[in-house]
Amino acid sequence: TLQGQMTSPMDPNCFGELTELTVASAIGGTGTTFTFAVNNGPQRPLGAPIEVLAGTQIISVFDRNACRWDTTIMILQPDEVTVNLVDEISVNLGDSSQLMPNVPASIALSTIVWSPPGNLTCTDCLMPWVIPTQSATYEITVTDENGCVGSDRIRVNLNRMRNVFVPNAFSPNNDGINDFFQLSLGTGVNRITYLRIFDRWGNMVYEQENYLPGGATDGWNGELKGRDLNMGTYVYISEVEFQDATKLVFRGSVNLVR
């Protein structure tokens, strides 16, 4: 009776990798020259290695009269190293968002690498925070203890909202309500480069440079050199620098009422 003697193939280290199998020898049958095939593929001489993927493999051994012996083996493989991110997110200028990939708990991670590294709180942790100054695509690559690799990408779209509000009136009468004229800023602002206020004749009555508003008493109180100015319309001009290095000029008028 014809029968082949197989060398046990090694299971692949990583999901989807190839491994090799072969038939080392054969006994029985007719003659001394034998061949073998895997999954009804081309016949090879004994001892020749054939690369296969994991799964069920049908091995056939043939003698010189084409008599055939078949056997089936199963080659196992580890779970796939998978990383899953959402396709894209949007983040307002000055805000942050946590990148949260899904990695199966059964996978023992050896290394984690995020790229590019810019605007991330860490590049070797699983869930960094991103504080974008421009839109970018980030990729995470993880490696498990067997050296198997998985990766995914996420697009971070920057929403360049300019969060600046300028009031059109204020009432410096020391009642604790709207006593100061000042720009109101949201996220995404680095600083106010300057704020200048002029009367109707073009005389500058107030100037402040390179600052961020810090409190309810920050800004113009309607005075010039300690003297209350008259009610009326005043003109302001201000330059604001944002976290993406953009500078915008805001100008308009404000009513001083008492």
Side-chain angles (χ1 to χ4, degrees), residues 14 81-83 103 107-113 126 140-151:
C14 301
V81 177
T82 58
V83 187
V103 179
I107 298 176
L109 296 181
S110 176
T111 62
I112 302 169
V113 177
L126 187 59
I140 180 176
T141 302
V142 300
T143 307
D144 74 0
E145 57 190 2
N146 294 321
C148 308
V149 176
S151 64

Side-chain angles (χ1 to χ4, degrees), residues 25-86:
S25 61
I27 58 175
T30 303
T32 59
T33 301
F34 301 93
T35 60
F36 80 102
V38 177
N39 298 325
N40 296 313
Q43 296 183 27
R44 305 286 181 86
L46 299 185
I50 296 180
E51 290 187 327
V52 295
L53 294 169
T56 302
Q57 313 294 332
I58 301 173
I59 295 91
S60 304
V61 177
F62 304 89
D63 66 10
R64 70 179 184 182
N65 290 334
C67 294
R68 176 172 179 161
W69 171 82
D70 290 327
T71 190
T72 299
I73 64 170
M74 171 64 73
I75 299 176
L76 304 178
Q77 65 179 345
D79 292 336
E80 184 177 6
V81 177
T82 58
V83 187
N84 292 304
L85 286 160
V86 297

Side-chain angles (χ1 to χ4, degrees), residues 26-239:
I27 58 175
T30 303
T32 59
T33 301
F34 301 93
T35 60
F36 80 102
V38 177
N39 298 325
N40 296 313
Q43 296 183 27
R44 305 286 181 86
L46 299 185
I50 296 180
E51 290 187 327
V52 295
L53 294 169
T56 302
Q57 313 294 332
I58 301 173
I59 295 91
S60 304
V61 177
F62 304 89
D63 66 10
R64 70 179 184 182
N65 290 334
C67 294
R68 176 172 179 161
W69 171 82
D70 290 327
T71 190
T72 299
I73 64 170
M74 171 64 73
I75 299 176
L76 304 178
Q77 65 179 345
D79 292 336
E80 184 177 6
V81 177
T82 58
V83 187
N84 292 304
L85 286 160
V86 297
D87 291 335
E88 61 180 353
I89 59 172
S90 293
V91 184
N92 291 336
L93 181 64
D95 279 347
S96 62
S97 183
Q98 191 172 23
L99 305 182
M100 302 175 65
N102 181 25
V103 179
S106 60
I107 298 176
L109 296 181
S110 176
T111 62
I112 302 169
V113 177
W114 286 90
S115 64
N119 302 318
L120 295 176
T121 55
C122 57
T123 58
D124 58 356
C125 62
L126 187 59
M127 296 184 182
W129 290 80
V130 59
I131 311 170
T133 56
Q134 60 184 9
S135 296
T137 298
Y138 291 91
E139 181 175 27
I140 180 176
T141 302
V142 300
T143 307
D144 74 0
E145 57 190 2
N146 294 321
C148 308
V149 176
S151 64
D152 201 5
R153 294 183 176 187
I154 182 172
R155 179 70 177 175
V156 178
N157 297 311
L158 177 63
N159 186 356
R160 299 178 186 272
M161 294 179 63
R162 306 304 179 182
N163 294 306
V164 177
F165 170 74
V166 185
N168 56 18
F170 74 116
S171 56
N173 53 13
N174 296 316
D175 65 354
I177 302 173
N178 296 327
D179 287 331
F180 292 84
F181 172 77
Q182 185 56 270
L183 278 66
S184 178
L185 308 177
T187 59
V189 176
N190 269 344
R191 60 175 178 158
I192 296 176
T193 308
Y194 62 81
L195 170 62
R196 298 173 186 142
I197 301 173
F198 303 85
D199 63 19
R200 60 180 178 175
W201 295 283
N203 301 310
M204 188 166 65
V205 299
Y206 178 81
E207 182 179 31
Q208 191 173 1
E209 295 181 328
N210 297 320
Y211 71 101
L212 279 173
T217 60
D218 194 10
W220 183 40
N221 62 0
E223 297 179 359
L224 176 61
K225 298 179 181 180
R227 179 176 60 88
D228 288 343
L229 294 183
N230 294 329
M231 292 192 300
T233 300
Y234 293 80
V235 174
Y236 67 85
I237 181 170
S238 180
E239 183 181 77

